[in-house]
């Protein structure tokens, strides 16, 4: 099926530092998403993004989080500053359209905040 | 609010048999979309099959099929002729017009033994 690429697969940083997670969505998709999965728990929605803007965000999407996709390059999630509770696997997803369309996920980036 | 419940935490089956997983959901929307994904040992999340609420016929895709019981708000996944590589965590997910992205269940771990 369609492939979403995420870089890096694992990132280790010190608490308080900034981190950027990169996602290369499926080429003809227009909607982009970030999800967070803490070990052993369900995936939880963070944010979705369309036409250069955040469309929806959950309460998990703290003020320290931001997303962008400058000039059709990577869709990024930036956390600044990071906190210990940000340690999780972050999954990027994309879809052609909105609510009725299937989301395709990347393999995730494991973020470890020390 | 949307909610997806998977009550089975783990299932073990012998290869080449059939496995059935349960999922019930809650939504206030009359139109919604149901999905099953699997998460492999490497962490990759793979889309398997979907059911649109307005379709009465159960969806099928290869050796995956769904048991959609709308009055019971239930969407079970059936895997026939299981293979070792079907061992994974299976997530049920739902999306409606009110939701922020997909709402996931906690997942069911399936182990297929030779």
């Amino acid at each position: 099926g369609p492939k979403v690429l995420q870089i890096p697969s694992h990132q280790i940083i010190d608490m308080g530092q900034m981190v950027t997670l990169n996602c290369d969505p499926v080429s003809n998709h227009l909607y982009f998403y970030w999800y967070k999965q803490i070990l052993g728990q369900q995936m939880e929605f963070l944010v979705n993004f369309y036409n250069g803007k955040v469309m929806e965000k959950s309460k998990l999407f703290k003020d320290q989080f931001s997303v962008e996709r400058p000039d059709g390059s990577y869709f990024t999630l930036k956390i600044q500053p990071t906190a210990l509770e940000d340690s999780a696997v972050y999954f990027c997803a994309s879809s052609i359209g909105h609510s009725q369309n299937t989301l395709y996920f990347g393999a995730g980036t494991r973020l470890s905040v020390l | 609010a949307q909610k997806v419940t998977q009550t089975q935490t783990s299932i073990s089956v012998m290869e080449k048999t059939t496995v059935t997983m349960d999922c019930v959901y809650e939504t206030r929307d009359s139109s919604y979309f149901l999905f099953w994904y699997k998460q492999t040992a490497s962490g990759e999340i793979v889309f398997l099959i979907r059911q649109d609420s307005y379709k009465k016929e159960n969806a099928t895709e290869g050796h995956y099929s769904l048991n959609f019981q709308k009055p019971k708000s239930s969407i079970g996944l059936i895997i026939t002729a299981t293979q070792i590589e079907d061992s994974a965590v299976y997530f049920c997910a739902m999306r409606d017009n009110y939701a922020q992205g997909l709402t996931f269940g906690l997942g069911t771990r399936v182990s297929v033994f030779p």
Side-chain angles (χ1 to χ4, degrees):
Chain A
K3 292 292 186 186
V4 174
L5 301 176
Q6 288 188 243
I7 302 166
S9 57
H10 193 185
Q11 181 94 42
I12 302 173
I13 58 169
D14 292 324
M15 183 177 64
Q17 285 189 314
M18 180 194 77
V19 68
T20 300
L21 309 183
N22 298 298
C23 171
D24 188 9
V26 179
S27 61
N28 63 336
H29 285 187
L30 301 176
Y31 290 79
F32 313 118
Y33 312 79
W34 284 102
Y35 282 77
K36 177 181 179 181
Q37 185 183 39
I38 294 174
L39 186 65
Q41 299 183 20
Q42 69 203 104
M43 294 227 293
E44 294 190 274
F45 170 79
L46 285 176
V47 64
N48 63 22
F49 188 86
Y50 168 72
N51 198 26
K53 298 174 188 172
V54 170
M55 287 184 62
E56 300 166 306
K57 58 184 180 180
S58 73
K59 57 186 177 184
L60 295 178
F61 194 77
K62 304 181 298 183
D63 291 343
Q64 298 90 326
F65 289 24
S66 62
V67 290
E68 64 176 355
R69 193 186 188 208
D71 301 322
S73 60
Y74 287 140
F75 174 52
T76 62
L77 173 65
K78 183 186 292 186
I79 309 174
Q80 180 178 26
T82 51
L84 294 176
E85 60 265 27
D86 296 330
S87 294
V89 180
Y90 290 85
F91 289 94
C92 174
S94 69
S95 64
I96 291 177
H98 195 37
S99 58
Q100 71 273 26
N101 291 106
T102 299
L103 271 65
Y104 293 90
F105 287 82
T109 294
R110 180 176 298 279
L111 176 64
S112 299
V113 181
L114 306 178
Chain B
Q2 302 81 17
K3 188 176 179 182
V4 175
T5 303
Q6 295 178 253
T7 56
Q8 301 152 300
T9 53
S10 65
I11 302 174
S12 295
V13 296
M14 300 296 289
E15 194 179 12
K16 300 177 186 175
T17 61
T18 295
V19 63
T20 301
M21 281 165 267
D22 301 328
C23 174
V24 293
Y25 55 89
E26 293 176 25
T27 176
R28 57 182 170 145
D29 206 343
S30 58
S31 174
Y32 50 91
F33 309 92
L34 302 162
F35 305 84
W36 279 91
Y37 290 85
K38 78 173 188 181
Q39 188 169 28
T40 64
S42 66
E44 186 183 6
I45 296 174
V46 180
F47 165 70
L48 299 176
I49 190 170
R50 64 180 279 168
Q51 179 83 38
D52 298 344
S53 65
Y54 58 87
K55 293 184 178 178
K56 293 184 178 178
E57 195 171 299
N58 289 324
T60 63
E61 191 70 49
H63 74 147
Y64 303 107
S65 61
L66 297 177
N67 178 17
F68 181 40
Q69 299 183 57
K70 196 170 182 179
K72 295 183 179 180
S73 297
S74 171
I75 183 71
L77 173 67
I78 304 163
I79 308 175
T80 56
T82 52
Q83 303 164 4
I84 302 295
E85 50 266 34
D86 290 323
S87 296
V89 179
Y90 289 80
F91 289 99
C92 177
M94 180 184 70
R95 193 171 193 185
D96 61 23
N97 294 307
Y98 293 97
Q100 295 176 324
L102 283 172
T103 301
F104 282 86
L106 283 171
T108 297
R109 180 176 297 279
V110 172
S111 301
V112 182
F113 294 96

